[in-house]
Amino acid sequence: MYQIGKVKVYLLPLQQSDTTESCLLSKANHTTLMEVRTGSVEDLVLHHHQTIQLLATKGSLVVVILQNQRYDYIVLSDQRPALVDIPPRTPYGLINLNDVSCFLLCNGQRYALAPEQDYDVLKPPFSYDIARVIQLLQETNNSQGCRPMLRAL
């Protein structure tokens, strides 16, 4: 495990066991499988009363975390499994510039009496570093056989 500000990243074994999966799901109030389509550059999402856990089940993408007026970039990939644990009130976005969709397992753990829609979508206060995202995806995808899309956004 390593930490970037308030965000924790847990490195998982390549062969996920039932123990790993049950540990991830045991904390969740709800779990969804999300598709992040090719070419996606999403706005920031801010959950007020829940922790979000993200795990790539197929493909790869970059999670952008806004902390202390700067972005941190974390690669999620099915080839190098890692779980990102994002605490409440920490804005994050998802970027997939690969030529294939990425599928994410998204667990939410609600605290207190959270309303049904416990999030806001925020415009990024400044531009994402797309060159950095492409570099991270190229480094990750060299072993996966997919390529980042090299196109103007």
Side-chain angles (χ1 to χ4, degrees):
M1 194 253 326
Y2 65 93
Q3 198 159 336
I4 302 172
K6 298 181 287 183
V7 175
K8 295 177 183 170
V9 180
Y10 298 91
L11 303 176
L12 304 174
L14 280 175
Q15 297 296 325
Q16 292 182 7
S17 67
D18 290 340
T19 306
T20 302
E21 291 170 2
S22 64
C23 176
L24 299 178
L25 298 175
S26 66
K27 293 182 178 181
N29 295 99
H30 65 276
T31 301
T32 56
L33 183 64
M34 298 173 42
E35 178 183 10
V36 182
R37 295 181 185 208
T38 183
S40 295
V41 179
E42 297 184 357
D43 289 338
L44 297 169
V45 176
L46 180 128
H47 290 273
H48 298 282
H49 297 84
Q50 61 183 318
T51 295
I52 298 297
Q53 296 177 322
L54 300 173
L55 173 71
T57 59
K58 182 174 171 137
S60 63
L61 57 65
V62 174
V63 180
V64 182
I65 307 290
L66 177 61
Q67 298 184 98
N68 302 320
Q69 298 300 312
R70 61 169 276 216
Y71 292 129
D72 293 304
Y73 299 88
I74 303 167
V75 176
L76 289 182
S77 167
D78 61 351
Q79 298 298 308
R80 290 188 247 167
L83 174 79
V84 175
D85 194 70
I86 305 169
R89 294 174 294 285
T90 303
Y92 70 94
L94 304 173
I95 301 177
N96 179 8
L97 299 181
N98 291 310
D99 55 1
V100 295
S101 291
C102 179
F103 290 88
L104 286 179
L105 191 61
C106 179
N107 295 324
Q109 180 182 7
R110 289 191 178 161
Y111 302 101
L113 298 172
E116 189 64 31
Q117 184 171 337
D118 179 49
Y119 66 91
D120 290 317
V121 177
L122 311 170
K123 289 288 180 196
F126 45 93
S127 298
Y128 297 137
D129 184 348
I130 297 300
R132 176 81 175 124
V133 170
I134 291 171
Q135 176 191 10
L136 289 168
L137 289 171
Q138 284 176 333
E139 290 169 4
T140 301
N141 294 338
N142 279 341
S143 64
Q144 291 182 3
C146 52
R147 299 169 283 131
M149 297 171 59
L150 301 176
R151 62 176 177 83
L153 298 174

